Amino acid sequence: MLTFEGAQTQGAQAIVEKLVSLPFQKVQHKVDTRDAQPTGDGNSLVVLVTGMLLVDDGQNPLKFSQLFTLVPEGGSFYVFNDIFRYAYLSVFHM
């Protein structure tokens, strides 16, 4: 399952369709932090990544956070759950 900006998509084919439909062609990632912990089953990992994205040669990077679970399978891993959010800065006055 993928949750991208609050919209949930389930299944490999639906997730690929969602990613392909995003309104940009090129993305550069700059990872600022990454943390990982084993899950309760002792085999999988939950991973949190924060950083910036630069899309389509733009000049204003977008901050993001992403949380996902890596599950082992056949000597490799696959992403089981994935939650992605842009980190919008909101300013308010009291």
Side-chain angles (χ1 to χ4, degrees):
M1 177 172 276
L2 167 68
T3 302
F4 185 89
E5 285 294 291
Q8 291 186 342
T9 306
Q10 189 166 358
Q13 182 176 346
I15 291 170
V16 169
E17 289 172 7
K18 171 66 177 177
L19 295 174
V20 170
S21 76
L22 295 175
F24 41 80
Q25 299 299 312
K26 186 168 77 170
V27 179
Q28 293 177 320
H29 295 79
K30 180 185 179 294
V31 173
D32 291 328
T33 66
R34 59 192 158 276
D35 298 290
Q37 296 179 358
T39 62
D41 69 8
N43 294 318
S44 303
L45 293 172
V46 62
V47 181
L48 173 65
V49 179
T50 65
M52 293 184 285
L53 300 175
L54 197 57
V55 296
D56 291 338
D57 299 321
Q59 299 302 312
N60 299 315
L62 304 167
K63 290 185 178 274
F64 76 94
S65 63
Q66 187 169 15
L67 178 76
F68 54 93
T69 305
L70 293 174
V71 177
E73 181 177 71
S76 187
F77 287 86
Y78 69 92
V79 175
F80 183 69
N81 294 98
D82 189 348
I83 301 172
F84 179 94
R85 282 281 185 175
Y86 291 114
Y88 298 108
L89 178 62
S90 62
V91 178
F92 62 93
H93 299 282
M94 296 177 118

